[in-house]
Amino acid sequence: PHCLQSHWLQLHQSSGINAEYGMSRAPHLMHLRSPKLMGNTESKDSMIHDALTCPFNQYHMGITAENVAEKYGISRHDQDKFAELSQNRAKEAVKNGILSDEIVPVKVTSRKATTVIEKDEHPRDTTLEGLSKLRPCFKTDGTVTPGNCSGINDGGSACVLMSRDLAASRGADILGYIVSSAMVGCDPALMGMGPVPAVRAAVNKAGWKLEDVDLFEINEAFASQSVAVVRELGIPVDKVNVNGGAIALGHPVGVSGNRIVITLLYSLARQGLKRGVASLCIGGGMGIALCLERDN
């Protein structure tokens, strides 16, 4: 078993962190009788209502991505180019088996056969030319398309958090440990920019500088906010999501936080690097970041 050691909590027992989200199975919901006593009522898509709608502005998260593109001058070409990079990186990672260590094969049995799912299904062959032909999906004159935003996926992720002493007593391999964390608020209309103040705060708490960080995993909710975050932080894109991100791999919303932490730790280990930062934007106007370190 692999474990993520808690440096600052000094836990005396292990804690399992499990995440699962099936976007394809998210139900449609309906309020019956109250507050409407008579007549028909509509059903609501819980995936859209609970996960993809800004609770303050009551519009789709895609509109926040358009807001970011407009405010920070992120062009359609910028977004499509970033999306192509994410897809190409993921394609190479899958081709070379780089992500295999992170994936537990799942058997799916039907009446006809049993299929083993052992690699991500969302990455696809993508070209800049093909991406440029897609229509905007949130505003008729917008720049956010199905090709430059994260996929709608099902997924699961898990890890174990425990103290170094307990991990040693159990003979568990330690992937890394937590150095610092930060959660920061931002304008809900620009929620995709949450990682900027969160990363800065977490890095400052760790006593690091941004240039001390070897790799970043910053969730790609949308290409517009991904490009804007990288630019605002002033970090090299070569250090960010080196094996592709959510645009290529997908973004099952309840899973992505844990997934990028595990991906980051495996990437650091694979390259013999030491320090990493994982960060996500959060609908409603928040950013969260975690500084992680490995013993080399």
Side-chain angles (χ1 to χ4, degrees):
H2 293 290
C3 302
L4 177 64
Q5 185 240 347
S6 172
H7 179 69
W8 55 279
L9 285 179
Q10 293 299 305
L11 297 177
H12 296 289
Q13 58 185 7
S14 62
S15 175
I17 300 173
N18 304 290
E20 183 277 329
Y21 201 93
M23 300 182 86
S24 69
R25 299 178 66 85
H28 284 73
L29 307 175
M30 182 182 295
H31 290 284
L32 299 177
R33 291 302 171 209
S34 177
K36 188 169 184 176
L37 298 179
M38 297 180 66
N40 298 326
T41 187
E42 66 175 1
S43 62
K44 291 186 176 181
D45 182 342
S46 63
M47 180 182 70
I48 298 293
H49 184 267
D50 294 346
L52 301 178
T53 298
C54 175
F56 296 101
N57 296 304
Q58 293 302 311
Y59 49 54
H60 196 284
M61 290 299 163
I63 298 299
T64 71
E66 292 283 6
N67 294 342
V68 168
E70 292 174 15
K71 180 176 177 61
Y72 291 91
I74 311 301
S75 70
R76 168 68 183 271
H77 178 77
D78 293 335
Q79 294 173 60
D80 288 347
K81 189 174 181 180
F82 186 88
E84 181 190 37
L85 177 64
S86 181
Q87 290 284 0
N88 288 342
R89 284 176 169 177
K91 181 181 176 182
E92 283 300 305
V94 172
K95 177 182 175 182
N96 296 320
I98 290 176
L99 301 177
S100 298
D101 290 341
E102 304 172 30
I103 297 174
V104 177
V106 176
K107 293 182 179 180
V108 179
T109 303
S110 65
R111 291 183 179 180
K112 294 184 178 181
T114 296
T115 303
V116 179
I117 308 298
E118 53 188 354
K119 62 181 181 180
D120 291 300
E121 298 176 300
H122 194 259
R124 59 201 67 192
D125 291 329
T126 304
T127 65
L128 195 58
E129 180 183 7
L131 289 168
S132 68
K133 295 178 181 178
L134 298 176
R135 296 180 179 179
C137 49
F138 300 106
K139 294 174 63 176
T140 55
D141 60 345
T143 56
V144 180
T145 74
N148 61 35
C149 58
S150 57
I152 296 175
N153 301 72
D154 300 342
S157 181
C159 70
V160 177
L161 183 71
M162 64 173 64
S163 69
R164 181 189 292 272
D165 291 342
L166 184 57
S169 70
R170 295 186 177 184
D173 295 333
I174 297 175
L175 282 176
Y177 61 93
I178 297 170
V179 178
S180 68
S181 65
M183 185 177 292
V184 179
C186 66
D187 184 349
L190 303 168
M191 69 91 200
M193 299 306 292
V196 174
V199 168
R200 287 173 176 162
V203 167
N204 184 60
K205 287 169 69 175
W208 301 351
K209 296 179 180 179
L210 283 172
E211 52 265 33
D212 296 331
V213 180
D214 296 310
L215 293 176
F216 296 84
E217 279 290 328
I218 301 177
N219 192 50
E220 299 170 357
F222 301 92
S224 66
Q225 57 86 209
S226 297
V227 174
V229 166
V230 169
R231 288 181 182 176
E232 286 296 301
L233 287 173
I235 56 179
V237 73
D238 291 345
K239 288 186 175 184
V240 181
N241 304 348
V242 293
N243 293 312
I247 290 172
L249 300 173
H251 178 22
V253 291
V255 174
S256 293
N258 194 64
R259 200 280 298 171
I260 67 169
V261 167
I262 301 305
T263 294
L264 175 61
L265 288 168
Y266 272 101
S267 295
L268 290 169
R270 190 178 301 111
Q271 297 187 43
L273 301 174
K274 186 174 183 179
R275 290 174 172 172
V277 173
S279 184
L280 300 90
C281 58
I282 302 173
M286 295 174 68
I288 190 169
L290 197 65
C291 289
L292 300 160
E293 197 166 61
R294 292 182 62 253
D295 289 329
N296 286 335

